[in-house]
Amino acid sequence: GTVRANAELSLSQSVAQTSSALRSFVSGMESRLTNICDEVASTAPDSLPETLSAIARLDNSIEAVCVYSGDELIVCGAAHELKGSGVNLSYDEALFSRADTPALSLPHVQTLFTDYYPWVITIVKKTGDLYVAIDFDFDEIAAFVDGIGIGSQGYCYITDQSGDLVYHPRWQMLYSGVLGEKLIKTEDHADGSFSEGGTLVEISTLEELGWRVVGVSSLDEVNSIRDKALSKVLGMALVCCMLALLALR
């Protein structure tokens, strides 16, 4: 009916809006990465630490700019104090192996800093014999996705193309079991809309990012809106009938 069609349209628009915003976010990251790669290529090696630290300090969305030779971190510029040693979760061999063009990681905690653990997303590109990687603060993307509402209960989340979560606005409740919902097995579905287990679902793939945007909306909510609308119509019809009967007396 009309209520279901309107719900599907709202869901589709929310997924399209989220997809467009994610493309824009990542396009901005790629543009800054290209500029910084040019900066690295044209800067004397002994000046790189100061140059990269200045970039990180001036751009609040950048947590760190790192230059690698193979798997060795040789320069890192950041606005926060760096640890002398420790595990670097922003280095991923599989990610770097596909960095001939800008390659994007999953969100993760950055562990390079002293007593500071930002949630970041790494974008890396091979430049000559070196790899230039930027850790961007993921909070801006997370805040945008958090703000997407579909009715009173619906929302969007992001998976990779294997169905693994990239970001979910209710991930803490999801993993604690409080949410009481099961994730849609996106790997079993092509792009488009469908219903599953009382949930209306829309999926859109961002091929260039390797991500999929999943929008979900409660069919119970859709049915509740339909029932309320029907009750209102029936109520108005009843009033009209009563008024007509009174007029005949």
Side-chain angles (χ1 to χ4, degrees):
T2 302
V3 173
R4 171 71 177 259
N6 288 341
E8 290 177 345
L9 177 61
S10 175
L11 182 61
S12 179
Q13 289 173 337
S14 295
V15 169
Q17 179 187 2
T18 304
S19 299
S20 177
L22 290 174
R23 287 190 175 98
S24 179
F25 281 128
V26 175
S27 176
M29 293 178 189
E30 291 179 347
S31 177
R32 279 175 280 181
L33 176 62
T34 297
N35 292 337
I36 291 172
C37 284
D38 292 342
E39 193 82 26
V40 169
S42 62
T43 301
D46 57 351
S47 299
L48 267 181
E50 183 179 348
T51 299
L52 299 185
S53 292
I55 290 171
R57 286 195 301 270
L58 291 172
D59 190 332
N60 290 333
S61 67
I62 292 178
E63 294 291 355
V65 184
C66 299
V67 179
Y68 295 81
S69 176
D71 61 358
E72 180 186 359
L73 175 59
I74 57 175
V75 181
C76 186
H80 294 85
E81 182 183 353
L82 295 165
K83 290 179 181 177
S85 61
V87 176
N88 175 12
L89 293 181
S90 288
Y91 176 78
D92 176 20
E93 185 177 355
L95 177 70
F96 278 52
S97 70
R98 51 186 173 87
D100 288 334
T101 57
L104 198 64
S105 78
L106 294 177
H108 59 278
V109 174
Q110 173 55 278
T111 54
L112 286 174
F113 306 118
T114 301
D115 299 325
Y116 178 59
Y117 303 95
W119 198 23
V120 301
I121 188 167
T122 302
I123 186 167
V124 58
K125 187 175 187 298
K126 190 174 184 182
T127 303
D129 294 328
L130 302 175
Y131 295 88
V132 178
I134 306 176
D135 283 337
F136 282 97
D137 191 328
F138 192 72
D139 285 349
E140 187 176 2
I141 292 177
F144 178 85
V145 177
D146 288 350
I148 295 292
I150 306 168
S152 62
Q153 301 177 39
Y155 53 87
C156 287
Y157 63 93
I158 311 167
T159 73
D160 64 16
Q161 296 201 48
S162 299
D164 295 324
L165 271 184
V166 172
Y167 179 69
H168 195 293
R170 304 178 183 179
W171 68 270
Q172 289 180 315
M173 292 189 292
L174 187 70
Y175 284 118
S176 68
V178 173
L179 191 59
E181 294 180 11
K182 291 184 178 180
L183 289 177
I184 303 298
K185 291 187 175 181
T186 56
E187 66 273 24
D188 294 341
H189 296 279
D191 285 8
S193 61
F194 58 94
S195 58
E196 180 177 302
T199 301
L200 190 61
V201 184
E202 173 95 13
I203 299 177
S204 176
T205 300
L206 310 179
E207 295 284 356
E208 68 276 29
L209 307 185
W211 291 354
R212 307 187 82 190
V213 177
V214 184
V216 295
S217 181
S218 169
L219 282 174
D220 286 343
E221 182 178 4
V222 173
N223 292 335
S224 176
I225 293 171
R226 179 202 61 199
D227 293 344
K228 286 179 181 178
L230 181 60
S231 295
K232 187 175 181 179
V233 169
L234 291 174
M236 292 176 65
L238 180 61
V239 169
C240 289
C241 288
M242 292 178 66
L243 290 174
L245 289 172
L246 289 172
L248 292 174
R249 290 184 177 182

